[in-house]
Amino acid sequence: MLEQVGWDRIEMAKKVALDIPDKSYVNLGIGIPELVADFVPKDREVIYQTENGLLGMGRVADKKNEDRELVNAGKKCVTTISGASFFHHADSFAMIRGGHIDICVLGAMQVSSNGDLANWSTGSNSIVPAVGGAMDLVAGVKKIFVITQHNTKKGIPKILDKCTFPLTGKNVVDRIYTNLAILDVNKEGLFVKELADNISFEYLKSKTEANLFQY
Amino acid sequence: MINKIVKSLKDAVANIHDNSTIMIGGFGEAGSPVELIHALIDKGSKNLTIISNNTGSGHVGLAALIENRQVKKMICSFPRTANSTVFPQLYNKNEIELELVPQGTLAERIRAGGAGIPAFYTRTSINTLLSKGKEHKFFDDNEYVLEYALKADFSLVKCNISDRYGNLTYHATARNFGPIMCTAAKETIVQSKKIVEIGDINPENVITPGIYVDKVIEIENPAHESELVESQIRYLC
């Protein structure tokens, strides 16, 4: 078993949640991003959009109340909040591509120091390529947050000078939340906003293949 | 008298021919017109191009249509999902074509097809492999890529309530691609959980106006794809 260094998934999700302002319209990607909704402070009113046609997504449905036709982008059964709305796919992506969504939280395979994101393909021919809505989200949503482990399970850095996998978008990521740190993507490069507990800047640098700056 | 209601699944898919391009609604199983797809398998039309967000799961519905070797090409955004093995296997053997399209671009291409718009520019897929070889243009210093409309010979769509005019309402997130696919085909074929009298659907609540619909068949208790998959049912014997 690989020992958890720095924050765990829940702590990472909590860090993202604290950075989602009141009254935001938010799209959460599949996987760790889905955890974020559980930790947004209760005094903030945040509306979640799921790109398969629902604004005002609630929590995951209880087993006994599952409706197979009320699902999120990850095809999990969900619920609606009071005040929710349904719409078709072109309307849903008009929200996304038309710049109406404030924040999107996505997973990543690789992120580069200038905010390039790779999260849809390793470039390998043996896996069927699948893109879903990722390219639309990075092209149209106002702020893109990435939440990811800092390194792969094999210890390979995911934060790089330049992505080696095919891109989802160029210069699209605003902030990266990993188990080791929170990094801002600025014009000058990656700036450390916060280090995880017991993680030093030197240690972070040793796990990163990109230049890092301190504020 | 306008009456778009047909009595059998066989009648519903009667006009579908070899080499057709067919849009099939659904996001995973939500909105997937399983009974219409099975009717298409029974009919056996071949060499089809299918436009649908996914490629089906298990050995029923869209996955079974692909497994029956009726599909030449898939146009979709996410060809692998949980329990989807049929498409990946054929794809890895180079026995089926794939045009991978970002989900929003897929939706907009269908919308454009139904609205008489031949092509449009979008930011989506700029600086990626998926915009390679396509026409690019700058507007206000931002780069966009030209995407062409999608049209189909047939659309297969699942709805919740309809009437003989073909007015439709949908259920929850099963709406997804249904309304836009209804607009983009020469012949739109709909399976509806319930058919009601003209006037029973409040005009304020109609999602797809009947003008876009050609045939409606009532399927009162449609199968749930995930239940069929969990029961390891194979549509093909």
Coordinates of all heavy atoms in Angstrom, one line a residue, chain B residues 33-94:
Chain B
P33 N -33.7 4.5 -26.2 CA -34.9 3.9 -26.7 C -34.7 2.4 -27.0 O -34.7 2.0 -28.1 CB -35.2 4.7 -28.0 CG -33.9 5.1 -28.5 CD -33.0 5.3 -27.3
V34 N -34.6 1.6 -25.9 CA -34.1 0.2 -26.0 C -35.1 -0.6 -26.9 O -34.6 -1.3 -27.8 CB -34.1 -0.4 -24.6 CG1 -33.8 -1.9 -24.7 CG2 -33.0 0.3 -23.8
E35 N -36.4 -0.4 -26.8 CA -37.3 -1.2 -27.6 C -37.2 -0.9 -29.1 O -37.3 -1.8 -29.9 CB -38.8 -1.0 -27.1 CG -39.1 -1.8 -25.8 CD -38.4 -1.2 -24.6 OE1 -38.0 0.0 -24.6 OE2 -38.4 -1.9 -23.5
L36 N -37.0 0.4 -29.4 CA -36.9 0.8 -30.8 C -35.6 0.2 -31.4 O -35.5 -0.3 -32.5 CB -36.9 2.3 -31.0 CG -38.2 3.0 -30.9 CD1 -38.1 4.5 -30.9 CD2 -39.2 2.5 -32.0
I37 N -34.5 0.2 -30.6 CA -33.2 -0.3 -31.0 C -33.4 -1.8 -31.3 O -32.9 -2.4 -32.3 CB -32.1 -0.1 -30.0 CG1 -31.9 1.5 -29.8 CG2 -30.8 -0.7 -30.5 CD1 -31.0 1.8 -28.6
H38 N -34.0 -2.5 -30.4 CA -34.3 -4.0 -30.5 C -35.1 -4.2 -31.8 O -34.8 -5.2 -32.5 CB -34.9 -4.6 -29.3 CG -34.0 -4.7 -28.1 ND1 -34.3 -4.9 -26.9 CD2 -32.6 -4.5 -28.1 CE1 -33.3 -4.9 -26.1 NE2 -32.2 -4.7 -26.8
A39 N -36.0 -3.4 -32.1 CA -36.8 -3.5 -33.3 C -35.9 -3.3 -34.6 O -36.1 -4.0 -35.6 CB -38.0 -2.5 -33.4
L40 N -35.0 -2.5 -34.4 CA -34.0 -2.2 -35.5 C -33.1 -3.5 -35.7 O -32.7 -3.8 -36.8 CB -33.2 -1.0 -35.3 CG -32.1 -0.6 -36.3 CD1 -32.7 -0.5 -37.7 CD2 -31.5 0.7 -35.9
I41 N -32.8 -4.1 -34.6 CA -32.0 -5.3 -34.7 C -32.8 -6.4 -35.4 O -32.3 -7.1 -36.3 CB -31.6 -5.8 -33.3 CG1 -30.6 -4.8 -32.7 CG2 -30.9 -7.2 -33.4 CD1 -30.2 -5.1 -31.2
D42 N -34.1 -6.5 -35.0 CA -35.0 -7.5 -35.7 C -35.1 -7.2 -37.2 O -35.1 -8.1 -38.0 CB -36.4 -7.4 -35.1 CG -36.4 -7.9 -33.6 OD1 -35.4 -8.5 -33.2 OD2 -37.4 -7.6 -32.9
K43 N -35.1 -6.0 -37.6 CA -35.3 -5.6 -39.0 C -34.0 -5.9 -39.7 O -34.0 -6.3 -40.9 CB -35.6 -4.1 -39.1 CG -35.8 -3.7 -40.6 CD -36.5 -2.3 -40.6 CE -36.4 -1.7 -42.0 NZ -37.1 -2.5 -43.1
G44 N -32.8 -5.7 -39.1 CA -31.6 -6.2 -39.6 C -30.9 -5.2 -40.6 O -29.9 -5.6 -41.3
S45 N -31.3 -3.9 -40.7 CA -30.7 -3.0 -41.6 C -29.2 -2.9 -41.3 O -28.8 -2.9 -40.1 CB -31.3 -1.6 -41.4 OG -32.7 -1.7 -41.4
K46 N -28.4 -2.8 -42.4 CA -26.9 -2.9 -42.2 C -26.2 -1.7 -42.6 O -26.8 -0.8 -43.3 CB -26.4 -4.1 -43.0 CG -26.8 -5.5 -42.5 CD -25.6 -6.4 -42.4 CE -26.0 -7.8 -41.7 NZ -27.0 -7.8 -40.8
N47 N -24.9 -1.6 -42.3 CA -24.0 -0.6 -42.8 C -24.5 0.8 -42.3 O -24.5 1.8 -43.0 CB -24.0 -0.6 -44.3 CG -22.6 -0.3 -44.9 OD1 -21.6 -0.5 -44.2 ND2 -22.6 0.2 -46.1
L48 N -24.9 0.8 -41.0 CA -25.5 2.0 -40.5 C -24.4 2.9 -39.9 O -23.4 2.5 -39.4 CB -26.5 1.7 -39.3 CG -27.6 0.7 -39.7 CD1 -28.4 0.3 -38.4 CD2 -28.5 1.3 -40.8
T49 N -24.6 4.2 -39.9 CA -23.8 5.2 -39.2 C -24.7 5.7 -38.0 O -25.8 6.1 -38.2 CB -23.5 6.4 -40.0 OG1 -22.6 5.9 -41.1 CG2 -22.7 7.5 -39.2
I50 N -24.2 5.5 -36.8 CA -25.0 5.8 -35.6 C -24.4 7.0 -34.9 O -23.2 7.1 -34.6 CB -25.1 4.6 -34.6 CG1 -25.6 3.4 -35.3 CG2 -25.9 5.0 -33.3 CD1 -27.1 3.4 -35.6
I51 N -25.3 8.0 -34.6 CA -24.9 9.2 -33.8 C -25.5 9.1 -32.5 O -26.8 9.1 -32.4 CB -25.3 10.5 -34.6 CG1 -24.7 10.5 -36.0 CG2 -25.0 11.7 -33.7 CD1 -25.4 11.6 -36.9
S52 N -24.7 8.9 -31.4 CA -25.3 8.7 -30.1 C -24.2 9.0 -29.1 O -23.0 8.8 -29.4 CB -25.7 7.2 -29.9 OG -26.5 7.1 -28.8
N53 N -24.5 9.5 -27.9 CA -23.4 9.9 -27.0 C -22.5 8.8 -26.6 O -21.3 9.0 -26.4 CB -24.0 10.6 -25.8 CG -22.9 11.3 -24.9 OD1 -22.2 12.2 -25.5 ND2 -22.7 10.9 -23.7
N54 N -23.0 7.6 -26.4 CA -22.2 6.5 -25.9 C -22.4 5.3 -26.9 O -22.9 5.5 -28.0 CB -22.7 6.0 -24.5 CG -22.7 7.2 -23.5 OD1 -23.7 7.8 -23.2 ND2 -21.5 7.6 -23.1
T55 N -21.9 4.1 -26.5 CA -22.0 3.0 -27.4 C -22.7 1.8 -26.8 O -22.6 0.7 -27.2 CB -20.6 2.5 -27.8 OG1 -19.8 2.1 -26.6 CG2 -19.8 3.6 -28.6
G56 N -23.5 2.1 -25.7 CA -24.3 1.0 -25.1 C -23.5 0.2 -24.1 O -22.3 0.3 -24.0
S57 N -24.2 -0.6 -23.3 CA -23.5 -1.5 -22.3 C -24.1 -2.9 -22.4 O -25.2 -3.1 -22.8 CB -23.6 -0.9 -20.9 OG -25.0 -0.8 -20.5
G58 N -23.3 -3.8 -21.9 CA -23.7 -5.2 -21.9 C -23.9 -5.7 -23.3 O -23.2 -5.4 -24.2
H59 N -25.0 -6.5 -23.4 CA -25.3 -7.1 -24.7 C -26.8 -6.8 -25.1 O -27.5 -7.7 -25.7 CB -25.0 -8.6 -24.7 CG -23.6 -8.9 -24.4 ND1 -22.6 -8.9 -25.3 CD2 -23.0 -9.1 -23.2 CE1 -21.5 -9.2 -24.7 NE2 -21.7 -9.3 -23.4
V60 N -27.3 -5.6 -24.8 CA -28.6 -5.2 -25.1 C -28.6 -3.8 -25.7 O -27.6 -3.1 -25.7 CB -29.5 -5.2 -23.9 CG1 -29.7 -6.6 -23.3 CG2 -29.0 -4.3 -22.8
G61 N -29.7 -3.4 -26.3 CA -29.8 -2.0 -26.8 C -28.7 -1.7 -27.8 O -28.4 -2.6 -28.7
L62 N -28.2 -0.5 -27.7 CA -27.2 -0.1 -28.7 C -26.0 -1.1 -28.8 O -25.5 -1.3 -29.9 CB -26.7 1.3 -28.4 CG -25.7 2.0 -29.3 CD1 -26.1 2.0 -30.7 CD2 -25.4 3.4 -28.8
A63 N -25.5 -1.6 -27.7 CA -24.4 -2.5 -27.7 C -24.8 -3.8 -28.5 O -23.9 -4.3 -29.3 CB -24.0 -2.9 -26.3
A64 N -26.0 -4.2 -28.4 CA -26.4 -5.4 -29.2 C -26.5 -5.1 -30.7 O -26.2 -5.9 -31.5 CB -27.8 -5.9 -28.7
L65 N -27.0 -3.9 -31.0 CA -27.0 -3.4 -32.4 C -25.6 -3.5 -33.0 O -25.4 -3.9 -34.2 CB -27.6 -2.0 -32.5 CG -27.8 -1.4 -33.9 CD1 -29.0 -2.1 -34.6 CD2 -28.0 0.1 -33.8
I66 N -24.6 -3.0 -32.2 CA -23.2 -3.0 -32.7 C -22.7 -4.5 -32.8 O -22.1 -4.9 -33.8 CB -22.4 -2.2 -31.7 CG1 -22.8 -0.7 -31.8 CG2 -20.9 -2.3 -32.1 CD1 -22.2 0.1 -30.7
E67 N -23.1 -5.2 -31.7 CA -22.6 -6.7 -31.7 C -23.2 -7.4 -32.9 O -22.5 -8.4 -33.4 CB -23.1 -7.3 -30.4 CG -22.5 -8.6 -30.1 CD -22.8 -9.0 -28.6 OE1 -23.9 -8.7 -28.1 OE2 -22.0 -9.7 -28.0
N68 N -24.3 -7.1 -33.4 CA -25.0 -7.7 -34.5 C -24.4 -7.3 -35.8 O -24.9 -7.6 -36.9 CB -26.5 -7.5 -34.5 CG -27.3 -8.5 -35.2 OD1 -26.9 -9.7 -35.3 ND2 -28.4 -8.2 -35.8
R69 N -23.3 -6.5 -35.8 CA -22.5 -6.0 -36.9 C -23.4 -5.2 -37.9 O -23.2 -5.2 -39.1 CB -21.9 -7.2 -37.6 CG -21.1 -8.1 -36.7 CD -20.1 -7.3 -35.8 NE -19.0 -6.8 -36.6 CZ -17.8 -7.4 -36.7 NH1 -17.5 -8.5 -36.2 NH2 -16.8 -6.8 -37.4
Q70 N -24.3 -4.4 -37.4 CA -25.2 -3.6 -38.2 C -24.6 -2.2 -38.4 O -25.1 -1.4 -39.2 CB -26.6 -3.5 -37.7 CG -27.4 -4.8 -37.8 CD -28.7 -4.8 -37.1 OE1 -28.9 -5.3 -36.0 NE2 -29.7 -4.1 -37.7
V71 N -23.6 -1.9 -37.5 CA -23.1 -0.5 -37.5 C -21.7 -0.4 -38.1 O -20.8 -1.1 -37.7 CB -23.0 0.0 -36.0 CG1 -22.5 1.4 -36.0 CG2 -24.4 -0.2 -35.4
K72 N -21.6 0.5 -39.1 CA -20.3 0.7 -39.7 C -19.5 1.7 -39.0 O -18.2 1.6 -38.9 CB -20.6 1.2 -41.2 CG -19.4 1.7 -42.0 CD -19.9 2.2 -43.3 CE -20.7 3.5 -43.1 NZ -20.9 4.3 -44.4
K73 N -20.2 2.7 -38.5 CA -19.5 3.9 -37.9 C -20.3 4.5 -36.7 O -21.5 4.6 -36.8 CB -19.3 5.0 -39.0 CG -18.5 6.2 -38.5 CD -18.4 7.2 -39.6 CE -17.7 8.5 -39.1 NZ -17.6 9.5 -40.1
M74 N -19.5 4.8 -35.7 CA -20.2 5.5 -34.5 C -19.7 7.0 -34.5 O -18.5 7.2 -34.6 CB -19.7 4.9 -33.2 CG -20.4 3.6 -32.8 SD -22.2 3.6 -32.6 CE -22.4 5.1 -31.5
I75 N -20.6 7.9 -34.3 CA -20.2 9.3 -34.0 C -20.6 9.6 -32.6 O -21.8 9.6 -32.3 CB -20.9 10.2 -35.0 CG1 -20.5 9.9 -36.4 CG2 -20.5 11.7 -34.7 CD1 -21.1 10.7 -37.5
C76 N -19.7 9.7 -31.7 CA -20.1 9.9 -30.3 C -19.0 10.6 -29.5 O -17.9 10.8 -29.9 CB -20.4 8.5 -29.7 SG -19.1 7.4 -29.5
S77 N -19.3 10.9 -28.2 CA -18.4 11.7 -27.4 C -17.7 10.7 -26.4 O -16.6 11.0 -26.0 CB -19.1 12.8 -26.6 OG -19.5 12.5 -25.4
F78 N -18.4 9.7 -25.9 CA -17.8 8.9 -24.9 C -18.1 7.4 -25.2 O -19.1 6.8 -24.6 CB -18.4 9.3 -23.5 CG -17.4 9.1 -22.4 CD1 -16.5 10.0 -22.1 CD2 -17.4 7.9 -21.7 CE1 -15.6 9.8 -21.0 CE2 -16.5 7.7 -20.6 CZ -15.6 8.7 -20.3
P79 N -17.2 6.8 -26.0 CA -17.6 5.4 -26.5 C -17.3 4.3 -25.5 O -17.5 3.2 -25.8 CB -16.7 5.3 -27.7 CG -15.6 6.3 -27.6 CD -16.1 7.4 -26.7
R80 N -16.8 4.6 -24.3 CA -16.7 3.6 -23.3 C -17.3 4.0 -22.0 O -17.1 5.1 -21.5 CB -15.2 3.1 -23.1 CG -14.3 4.3 -22.7 CD -12.8 3.8 -22.5 NE -11.9 4.8 -22.8 CZ -11.5 5.8 -21.9 NH1 -12.0 5.8 -20.8 NH2 -10.6 6.7 -22.3
T81 N -18.1 3.1 -21.4 CA -18.7 3.4 -20.1 C -18.6 2.1 -19.4 O -18.2 1.1 -19.9 CB -20.2 3.8 -20.3 OG1 -20.8 3.1 -21.4 CG2 -20.4 5.3 -20.4
A82 N -19.1 2.1 -18.1 CA -19.1 0.9 -17.4 C -19.9 -0.2 -18.1 O -20.9 0.1 -18.7 CB -19.8 1.1 -16.0
N83 N -19.4 -1.4 -18.1 CA -20.0 -2.5 -18.8 C -20.1 -2.4 -20.3 O -20.9 -3.0 -21.0 CB -21.5 -2.7 -18.3 CG -21.5 -3.1 -16.8 OD1 -20.7 -3.9 -16.4 ND2 -22.4 -2.4 -16.1
S84 N -19.3 -1.5 -20.9 CA -19.3 -1.4 -22.4 C -18.1 -2.2 -22.9 O -17.0 -1.7 -22.7 CB -19.4 0.0 -22.9 OG -18.2 0.5 -23.3
T85 N -18.3 -3.3 -23.5 CA -17.2 -4.1 -24.0 C -17.3 -4.4 -25.5 O -16.3 -4.5 -26.2 CB -17.2 -5.5 -23.3 OG1 -18.5 -6.1 -23.4 CG2 -16.8 -5.4 -21.9
V86 N -18.6 -4.3 -26.0 CA -18.8 -4.7 -27.4 C -18.0 -3.7 -28.4 O -17.3 -4.1 -29.2 CB -20.3 -4.7 -27.8 CG1 -20.5 -4.8 -29.3 CG2 -21.0 -5.9 -27.1
F87 N -18.3 -2.4 -28.2 CA -17.6 -1.5 -29.0 C -16.1 -1.5 -28.9 O -15.4 -1.6 -29.9 CB -18.2 0.0 -28.8 CG -17.5 1.0 -29.7 CD1 -17.9 1.2 -31.0 CD2 -16.4 1.7 -29.2 CE1 -17.3 2.1 -31.8 CE2 -15.7 2.6 -30.1 CZ -16.2 2.8 -31.3
P88 N -15.5 -1.4 -27.7 CA -14.1 -1.4 -27.6 C -13.4 -2.6 -28.3 O -12.4 -2.5 -28.9 CB -13.8 -1.5 -26.1 CG -15.0 -0.8 -25.5 CD -16.2 -1.2 -26.4
Q89 N -14.1 -3.8 -28.1 CA -13.5 -5.0 -28.8 C -13.4 -4.8 -30.3 O -12.4 -5.1 -30.9 CB -14.3 -6.2 -28.4 CG -13.8 -6.8 -27.0 CD -14.8 -7.8 -26.5 OE1 -15.6 -8.3 -27.2 NE2 -14.6 -8.2 -25.2
L90 N -14.5 -4.4 -30.9 CA -14.5 -4.2 -32.4 C -13.6 -3.1 -32.8 O -12.9 -3.2 -33.8 CB -16.0 -3.9 -32.9 CG -16.9 -5.1 -32.8 CD1 -18.3 -4.6 -33.3 CD2 -16.4 -6.2 -33.7
Y91 N -13.5 -2.0 -32.0 CA -12.7 -0.9 -32.3 C -11.2 -1.3 -32.3 O -10.5 -1.0 -33.2 CB -12.9 0.2 -31.3 CG -12.1 1.4 -31.5 CD1 -12.4 2.4 -32.5 CD2 -10.9 1.6 -30.8 CE1 -11.6 3.5 -32.7 CE2 -10.1 2.8 -31.0 CZ -10.5 3.7 -31.9 OH -9.7 4.8 -32.1
N92 N -10.8 -2.1 -31.3 CA -9.4 -2.5 -31.2 C -9.1 -3.5 -32.3 O -7.9 -3.6 -32.7 CB -9.2 -3.2 -29.9 CG -9.1 -2.1 -28.8 OD1 -8.8 -1.0 -29.0 ND2 -9.4 -2.5 -27.5
K93 N -10.0 -4.1 -32.9 CA -9.8 -5.0 -34.1 C -9.9 -4.2 -35.4 O -9.9 -4.8 -36.5 CB -10.7 -6.2 -34.1 CG -10.4 -7.2 -33.0 CD -11.1 -8.5 -33.2 CE -12.6 -8.4 -32.7 NZ -13.3 -9.7 -32.8
N94 N -10.1 -2.9 -35.3 CA -10.4 -2.1 -36.5 C -11.6 -2.5 -37.3 O -11.6 -2.4 -38.5 CB -9.1 -2.2 -37.5 CG -8.1 -1.1 -37.1 OD1 -8.5 0.0 -36.6 ND2 -6.9 -1.4 -37.3

